């Protein structure tokens, strides 16, 4: 066996996805009316990639001279990204038909963004981190502006692009300073020698800039300004993809950097705790004032970034496992909610306010029940998976003597119940004002039901997933 | 030989100029140029560090940064054109459809 083969085999899921993406690219250029072919190729390719990634979870290793981590957490995150991409592609087909923008390039961009995310989760070197982030972001800039005729979509895309590129500048400066102060860009090297360099100002400045860049990507306060505008203006399934996949990808880097050793530096733990508390408070309080459902979910995603940062600030295994559990649960509940909103949305960003959902419980009981499941799960009400994610994270915070942070988190979860359940209340206890139409295909409906069932399953049997998560690092 | 600090100071000044440009200018293209200035300031740091440490990693990273920046400009200008077709303005203060 030659030297290269074991390396290639160990990054099987990534290679499969790249092959599928390139195949779709080829199909797009040689077949006329290629959209259905691209759609089914993408769906099949993602399912195969999930199948290849699952057995690799039990293996731990690294490939290509320590540039990539393989197996374990990298595969776990890959599976989250594949699921996000799969749900987004299925939901977006109905949505794009409504908006007269059914082009196969959409699936292609989702696939390449997913390749970027997988690179981020597998990165063991800051160069790969940079490349992964950029591959993902560049695809997402285009996806946000995919409805070319809509000014809202254009505006969202430009805002995302300018602020995203701005954040990349900080991230890159951080990487440069870390390289300058340690002479290495290897994440393994940096985490192992953190204490040695902790007194160097150049090194700490580099860590600080890196945190700024990543906080932009997860949308944590005070770097959250772009989140509501971009999520509201982008095509609805894309907003869901950004809120789940892109956020999980940025968290995979933060966990790789900080959850191992870095947090032992007390200052960084405190810094993350402050970011977490600010995100939870601002996200939840401002979400109350929203009338647009997409914008409400955007603020709620800021709050969720805060919950997950809480687990990171705790700096123990409980908090870290809590984040991993929560990211998977969050992918299902948030994509499910965005999917349902995309069913309801009508031509020209209409039917997106709370009032448009009035009486949905009687006119469209099927959609209303599913929406209620996702809202209950987002609010963290048992027996849905959202509850256990939050539970593990807050237990981690209490164990790390950050009880104040756990209290802020619990209080803010109570605040969040108000606006999530307001949607449920509007659906069941208000009369319909206008005729509601919802358009969706059978496959989309099946995937939404599946997401809801998985949330219920994870909520009833959380320990089965947690047993896998504890072996990841 | 010029000491490392000179390069780093120049790079920091250029980076700060870029940041100030992004925060104060209102034309989308000027904002974008300021972002490019930030990236190139970082490139200067990387090359200086690379020379100082006697390692090539920094220079390799600079090539990646330049390639990515080129891809980013292509996308960025395309987005700006798409917006201009619908709205006939590049002033980012007039991009105010999305707010609460």
């Amino acid at each position: 066996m030659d030297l290269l083969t074991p390396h290639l085999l160990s990054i099987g899921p990534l290679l499969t996805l790249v092959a599928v993406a390139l195949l779709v690219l080829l199909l797009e250029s040689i077949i006329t009316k290629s959209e259905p072919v691209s759609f089914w190729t993408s769906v099949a390719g993602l399912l195969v990639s999930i199948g290849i990634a699952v057995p690799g979870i039990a293996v731990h290793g690294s490939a290509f001279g320590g540039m990539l981590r393989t197996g374990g957490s990298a595969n776990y995150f890959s599976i989250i990204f594949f699921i996000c991409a799969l749900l987004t592609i299925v939901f977006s087909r109905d949505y794009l038909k409504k908006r007269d923008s059914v082009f196969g390039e959409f699936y292609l961009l989702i696939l390449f963004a997913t390749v970027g995310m997988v690179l981020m989760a597998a990165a063991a070197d800051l160069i790969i981190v940079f490349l992964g982030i950029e591959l993902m972001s560049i695809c997402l800039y285009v996806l946000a502006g995919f409805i070319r005729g809509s000014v809202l979509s254009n505006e969202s895309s430009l805002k995302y692009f300018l602020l995203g590129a701005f954040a990349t500048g900080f991230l890159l400066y951080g990487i440069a300073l870390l390289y300058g102060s340690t002479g290495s860009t290897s994440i393994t090297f940096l985490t192992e020698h953190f204490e040695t360099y902790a007194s160097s100002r150049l090194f700490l400045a580099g860590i600080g800039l890196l945190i700024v860049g990543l906080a932009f990507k997860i949308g944590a306060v005070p770097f959250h300004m772009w989140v509501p505008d971009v999520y509201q203006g982008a095509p609805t399934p894309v907003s869901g993809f950004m809120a789940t996949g892109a956020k999980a990808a940025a968290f995979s880097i933060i966990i790789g950097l900080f959850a191992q050793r870095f947090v032992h530096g007390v200052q960084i733990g405190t810094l993350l705790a402050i970011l977490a508390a600010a995100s939870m408070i601002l996200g939840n309080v401002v979400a109350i004032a929203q009338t647009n459902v997409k914008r409400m979910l955007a603020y709620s995603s800021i709050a969720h970034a805060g919950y997950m940062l809480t687990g990171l600030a705790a700096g123990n295994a409980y908090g870290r496992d809590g984040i991993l559990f929560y990211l998977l649960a969050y992918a299902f509940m948030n994509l499910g909610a965005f999917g349902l909103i995309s069913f309801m949305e009508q031509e020209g960003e209409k039917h997106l306010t709370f009032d448009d959902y009035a009486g949905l419980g009687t006119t469209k009981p099927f959609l209303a029940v599913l929406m209620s499941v996702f809202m209950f799960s987002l609010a963290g009400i048992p027996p849905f998976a959202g509850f256990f994610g939050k539970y593990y994270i807050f237990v981690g915070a209490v164990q790390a003597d950050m009880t104040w942070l756990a209290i802020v988190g619990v209080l803010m979860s109570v605040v969040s119940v108000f606006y999530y359940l307001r949607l449920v209340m509007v659906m069941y206890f208000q009369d319909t004002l206008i005729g509601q139409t919802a358009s969706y295909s059978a496959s989309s409906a099946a995937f939404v039901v599946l997401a809801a069932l998985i949330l219920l399953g994870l909520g009833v049997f959380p320990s089965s997933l947690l047993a896998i998560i504890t072996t990841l690092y | 030989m010029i000491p490392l600090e000179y390069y780093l100071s120049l790079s920091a000044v250029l980076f700060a100029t870029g940041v100030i440009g992004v925060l104060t200018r209102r034309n989308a293209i000027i904002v974008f140029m300021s972002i490019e200035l930030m990236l190139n300031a970082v490139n200067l740091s990387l090359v200086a560090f690379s020379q100082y440490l006697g390692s090539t990693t920094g220079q390799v990273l600079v090539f990646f940064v330049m390639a990515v920046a080129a891809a980013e400009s292509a996308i960025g200008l395309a987005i700006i054109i798409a917006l201009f077709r619908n709205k006939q303005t590049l002033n980012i203060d007039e991009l105010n459809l999305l707010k609460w």
Side-chain angles (χ1 to χ4, degrees):
Chain A
M1 198 182 264
D2 63 313
L3 282 172
L4 194 59
T5 318
H7 291 289
L8 292 178
L9 283 178
S10 63
I11 56 162
L14 179 64
L15 280 186
T16 318
L17 191 66
V18 173
V20 173
L22 291 177
L23 179 66
V24 174
L25 183 64
L26 209 62
L27 291 174
E28 276 301 311
S29 56
I30 56 177
I31 306 179
T32 46
K33 296 204 174 155
S34 57
E35 191 273 334
V37 184
S38 303
F39 176 77
W40 291 111
T41 314
S42 312
V43 169
L46 282 166
L47 288 173
V48 171
S49 305
I50 294 176
I52 293 177
V54 169
I57 284 187
V59 193
H60 294 262
S62 71
F64 296 104
M67 295 299 268
L68 293 175
R69 288 182 296 115
T70 59
S73 58
N75 275 34
Y76 177 79
F77 275 110
S78 304
I79 292 169
I80 297 184
F81 306 144
F82 296 156
I83 291 171
C84 293
L86 186 63
L87 292 176
T88 309
I89 285 180
V90 173
F91 297 152
S92 55
R93 197 176 192 207
D94 300 335
Y95 184 84
L96 293 176
K97 274 183 188 154
K98 248 186 285 190
R99 308 296 302 270
D100 270 338
S101 301
V102 202
F103 300 112
E105 288 85 353
F106 187 91
Y107 314 126
L108 188 64
L109 288 164
I110 296 267
L111 290 178
F112 275 120
T114 314
V115 171
M117 291 172 189
V118 175
L119 272 180
M120 285 159 83
D125 194 290
L126 292 173
I127 297 179
I128 305 288
V129 167
F130 171 70
L131 287 178
I133 286 188
E134 282 305 294
L135 183 53
M136 177 190 81
S137 302
I138 287 178
C139 293
L140 288 179
Y141 301 148
V142 183
L143 284 168
F146 201 77
I147 314 287
R148 268 198 312 175
S150 153
V151 188
L152 280 184
S153 185
N154 295 154
E155 184 178 326
S156 140
S157 173
L158 185 66
K159 280 183 177 169
Y160 191 28
F161 169 71
L162 289 178
L163 288 171
F166 188 51
T168 303
F170 285 99
L171 185 96
L172 199 60
Y173 204 24
I175 294 177
L177 293 186
L178 288 181
Y179 167 65
S181 54
T182 66
S184 167
T185 53
S186 156
I187 291 179
T188 327
F189 179 87
L190 292 175
T191 47
E192 276 170 7
H193 295 83
F194 183 71
E195 281 85 1
T196 323
Y197 295 106
S199 55
S200 151
R201 282 207 200 128
L202 208 57
F203 182 79
L204 288 180
I207 293 284
L209 287 167
L210 206 61
I211 292 180
V212 170
L214 291 170
F216 251 107
K217 297 290 171 194
I218 58 172
V221 174
F223 310 106
H224 65 284
M225 310 74 83
W226 60 273
V227 176
D229 287 0
V230 172
Y231 286 13
Q232 189 189 341
T236 308
V238 174
S239 310
F241 190 57
M242 292 193 282
T244 55
K247 195 183 293 252
F251 263 104
S252 73
I253 295 176
I254 302 182
I255 292 172
L257 274 172
F258 298 108
Q260 309 297 320
R261 240 172 237 258
F262 275 28
V263 166
H264 293 311
V266 180
Q267 296 149 327
I268 291 174
T270 317
L271 183 68
L272 292 174
I274 292 169
L275 285 181
S279 308
M280 287 189 288
I281 294 173
L282 187 132
N284 281 316
V285 171
V286 181
I288 293 177
Q290 302 306 319
T291 53
N292 181 303
V293 184
K294 267 167 98 175
R295 213 168 167 84
M296 180 272 275
L297 279 181
Y299 278 105
S300 111
S301 97
I302 296 173
H304 280 92
Y307 298 138
M308 293 173 208
L309 279 175
T310 305
L312 206 62
N316 51 25
Y318 237 110
R320 188 191 63 207
D321 295 344
I323 303 176
L324 293 175
F325 184 93
Y326 204 49
L327 280 171
L328 184 64
Y330 185 65
F332 284 114
M333 54 202 187
N334 214 27
L335 270 173
F338 271 108
L340 287 173
I341 294 172
S342 77
F343 297 168
M344 291 287 295
E345 188 177 336
Q346 296 304 318
E347 188 73 33
E349 287 94 9
K350 290 204 183 74
H351 286 219
L352 280 174
T353 63
F354 275 82
D355 292 337
D356 294 319
Y357 285 76
L360 199 71
T362 44
T363 54
K364 301 256 183 306
F366 171 68
L367 295 184
V369 167
L370 287 170
M371 189 59 118
S372 309
V373 169
F374 296 129
M375 289 300 132
F376 277 115
S377 187
L378 282 167
I381 294 169
F384 300 108
F387 168 76
F388 285 98
K390 273 185 194 157
Y391 172 77
Y392 296 132
I393 286 172
F394 293 150
V395 167
V398 171
Q399 282 186 347
D401 287 331
M402 288 202 175
T403 316
W404 67 273
L405 193 58
I407 292 174
V408 172
V410 172
L411 284 179
M412 285 302 129
S413 301
V414 174
V415 171
S416 77
V417 171
F418 175 79
Y419 59 84
Y420 290 129
L421 293 201
R422 187 157 66 115
L423 187 61
V424 177
M425 195 201 74
V426 165
M427 287 192 300
Y428 283 99
F429 299 111
Q430 276 187 20
D431 293 328
T432 316
L433 299 172
I434 26 122
Q436 277 151 340
T437 47
S439 45
Y440 51 92
S441 62
S443 54
S444 308
F447 272 102
V448 178
V449 172
L450 192 66
L453 287 179
I454 291 174
L455 277 183
L456 194 60
L458 286 180
V460 178
F461 306 106
S463 48
S464 50
L465 178 62
L466 208 65
I468 300 171
I469 288 177
T470 46
T471 65
L472 288 181
Y473 280 93
Chain B
M1 199 177 116
I2 305 172
L4 176 68
E5 285 76 19
Y6 285 28
Y7 290 109
L8 293 190
S9 310
L10 176 62
S11 158
V13 169
L14 281 175
F15 190 84
T17 313
V19 172
I20 293 168
V22 172
L23 297 176
T24 56
R25 302 305 290 264
R26 301 275 60 106
N27 183 303
I29 292 187
I30 308 256
V31 170
F32 181 51
M33 283 163 65
S34 304
I35 291 171
E36 290 294 310
L37 186 62
M38 288 165 66
L39 294 183
N40 284 313
V42 176
N43 282 348
L44 183 62
S45 287
L46 281 171
V47 173
F49 278 132
S50 189
Q51 177 72 15
Y52 174 75
L53 296 166
S55 95
T56 50
T57 317
Q59 293 178 28
V60 172
L61 186 49
V62 168
F63 278 109
F64 279 119
V65 174
M66 288 197 293
V68 166
E72 214 168 45
S73 338
I75 295 291
L77 293 174
I79 292 172
I80 290 175
I81 288 173
L83 180 80
F84 189 78
R85 281 202 181 135
N86 285 329
K87 197 146 171 155
Q88 276 77 46
T89 177
L90 287 180
N91 187 333
I92 49 177
D93 282 339
E94 288 172 35
L95 300 180
N96 51 12
L97 288 169
L98 296 162
K99 63 184 176 207
W100 63 304

